[in-house]
Amino acid sequence: MKGTVHVAGIGVIAAIGNTVEECMRSFRQHISGIGPITLFDSIHRGVLPVGEVKLSNEALAARLDKPVYTSRTALLGIQAAREAVANAGIDLKKWRTGLISATTVGGMDRTESFFPEFLQDNSKGRLHDVVNHACGRSTELIADDLGIYSFISTINTACSSSVNAIAYGTRLINHGMLDIVVAGGSDALSKFTLNGFNSLMILDKEPCRPFDAGRKGLNLGEGAGFVVIVSQRVLEQEKKKSLAVVAGYGNTNDAYHQTASSPEGRGSYAAMQKALAMSELSISDIDYINLHGTGTLNNDASEGTAVKRFFGDHLPKLSSTKAFTGHTLGASGGIEAVFSVLALTQQCVFPNLRFETAMPEVDIVPQQQFEETTINHVMSNSFGFGGNCSSIVFSK
């Protein structure tokens, strides 16, 4: 990969914390963010657990000094992106700066509040609840807040969206088109996604158990995660410390099924293969894998098969942090990129909560305790509907 692209700042908001520091504390103390639905009305309230951010829209809007009708996806994104930029400590206006934000939900949470009144009487309904519906609108709101106008883009490739955003940003820097990119993703919980995933019969009525033999499905979550990636020139001129290097990435699309992964993990295997090849590392160099690990029967068996086949006897420490946050859809790759960088800066691996028994399909035993250990290279997997699979490698 041409040039060196560094991570200079990280920011996150998730069910386990509103900042990087709070999330790190939850990991150390094994505190999950999965719990009952409290922030919106649903027929599944009290039945399906979710990974809610512990701030209402009103609290988020007040915290960020934004209108209360701003979509939750945008609010979450602004919170995480602001933290990432502050953590980097670089004046974005001095450089050619871009924003690449990923989302699958967009402003759906506000749109849902518009239609009940409108369908009863088409002269009613608050129009400001629908003007921010589009996925790209949340990106524009985050960009406006950060003062980024050189380049903005939105990526929606299902649950691999955020990794693809970071990969795209890395390419733009390597090709000399931008100096700095704020990249990641944001997604809010909504009735639409909750009902949609429930119709697929892949939601667990209990807190999820990724890679466990008794797993029954996933828990939806919400949140945002962003990294500030910069060129070598920016890092040197700004005299900043590199948190990590984007060493390699890979994206594939096996198109096996609209919502299921191939049993043998074709796409995930190829994505890991491409990411490792670009990084010019060997399989024995990877110290930790942040697995996609949703907790569904299909996904975990497919990913586990691919990981076992790819790493063979050199299986590194691995875990799914979705047992803490829930599956945050398009934001998951951004949130887990932040967690991957934390694994490098804090020299640790995160536990895979609620694991008891290895899957009969493939013998994968994830990390069960928070552990401080030597970590030099981390791989993070994000695999989406339609077989869009992405892997990314971060190095010290």
Side-chain angles (χ1 to χ4, degrees):
M1 187 167 67
K2 180 183 175 183
T4 303
V5 174
H6 300 270
V7 178
I10 54 175
V12 70
I13 182 169
I16 56 172
N18 301 326
T19 63
V20 169
E21 183 180 357
E22 289 180 11
C23 288
M24 195 64 206
R25 188 182 309 127
S26 293
F27 281 134
R28 289 184 183 276
Q29 298 175 5
H30 289 210
I31 298 173
S32 172
I34 307 298
I37 299 168
T38 66
L39 295 175
F40 59 92
D41 291 327
S42 168
I43 59 172
H44 305 297
R45 196 167 183 168
V47 178
L48 294 174
V50 294
E52 285 184 337
V53 167
K54 308 304 186 286
L55 290 170
S56 66
N57 270 29
E58 292 74 17
L60 267 171
R63 181 184 182 124
L64 300 169
D65 193 26
K66 296 296 179 184
V68 72
Y69 55 79
T70 306
S71 73
R72 188 168 178 83
T73 295
L75 292 172
L76 294 170
I78 291 168
Q79 167 66 28
R82 278 189 190 179
E83 184 184 21
V85 171
N87 183 233
I90 299 172
D91 182 0
L92 302 183
K93 294 181 176 62
K94 289 172 56 180
W95 301 92
R96 295 173 301 165
T97 301
L99 170 70
I100 304 174
S101 182
T103 185
T104 61
V105 175
M108 183 69 72
D109 64 301
R110 301 308 307 170
T111 307
E112 291 173 343
S113 67
F114 169 80
F115 276 103
E117 277 191 295
F118 177 77
L119 291 174
Q120 293 294 322
D121 182 346
N122 63 14
S123 67
K124 294 184 177 179
R126 295 163 293 183
L127 288 177
H128 57 55
D129 281 340
V130 291
V131 294
N132 295 329
H133 172 82
C135 287
R137 183 58 182 150
S138 61
T139 304
E140 292 171 351
L141 290 170
I142 298 167
D144 286 345
D145 184 80
L146 299 178
I148 295 175
Y149 305 107
S150 297
F151 181 92
I152 65 170
S153 185
T154 306
I155 289 184
N156 184 336
T157 55
C159 307
S160 62
S161 301
S162 286
V163 169
N164 289 336
I166 298 169
Y168 183 30
T170 302
R171 290 177 63 192
L172 290 172
I173 292 173
N174 272 329
H175 285 285
M177 299 177 71
L178 292 172
D179 302 307
I180 299 174
V181 176
V182 181
S186 178
D187 258 335
L189 282 165
S190 71
K191 295 178 185 179
F192 179 84
T193 49
L194 191 67
N195 293 341
F197 274 79
N198 188 60
S199 71
L200 294 173
M201 297 183 289
I202 56 174
L203 295 181
D204 197 340
K205 293 182 180 180
E206 299 175 353
C208 65
R209 292 177 282 173
F211 291 92
D212 188 80
R215 68 197 185 283
K216 297 177 182 177
L218 61 85
N219 307 135
L220 284 177
E222 63 178 357
F226 283 88
V227 295
V228 177
I229 52 177
V230 305
S231 67
Q232 183 72 35
R233 183 166 71 97
V234 170
L235 195 78
E236 292 174 353
Q237 290 192 21
E238 293 285 346
K239 296 180 172 58
K240 296 297 179 181
K241 179 182 178 182
S242 175
L243 302 180
V245 170
V246 183
Y249 51 81
N251 173 257
T252 61
N253 197 321
D254 64 18
Y256 171 78
H257 185 270
Q258 287 180 315
T259 60
S261 302
S262 63
E264 65 274 22
R266 288 197 309 254
S268 47
Y269 180 91
M272 291 186 289
Q273 191 175 47
K274 287 186 175 186
L276 196 69
M278 182 182 287
S279 72
E280 298 183 343
L281 297 169
S282 67
I283 55 175
S284 60
D285 291 323
I286 301 298
D287 302 302
Y288 171 59
I289 310 174
N290 187 299
L291 298 161
H292 184 59
T294 61
T296 66
L297 295 175
N298 168 258
N299 176 88
D300 290 3
S302 175
E303 183 180 10
T305 299
V307 166
K308 193 80 170 181
R309 175 187 164 207
F310 187 71
F311 285 92
D313 295 332
H314 298 282
L315 199 65
K317 294 179 183 293
L318 40 77
S319 66
S320 169
T321 49
K322 288 182 177 67
F324 284 88
T325 65
H327 189 355
T328 56
L329 304 182
S332 61
I335 291 171
E336 290 160 24
V338 172
F339 295 163
S340 297
V341 173
L342 279 174
L344 291 166
T345 60
Q346 303 298 312
Q347 290 291 280
C348 67
V349 292
F350 309 116
N352 192 114
L353 297 180
R354 296 180 286 277
F355 176 85
E356 294 180 357
T357 307
M359 302 181 293
E361 300 94 329
V362 57
D363 184 21
I364 291 282
V365 179
Q367 184 76 15
Q368 295 169 61
Q369 298 293 323
F370 180 90
E371 180 184 348
E372 293 181 347
T373 186
T374 302
I375 302 293
N376 293 308
H377 307 285
V378 176
M379 177 179 282
S380 186
N381 290 339
S382 288
F383 305 144
F385 281 173
N388 196 302
C389 299
S390 295
S391 293
I392 190 164
V393 175
F394 295 98
S395 298
K396 281 189 69 177

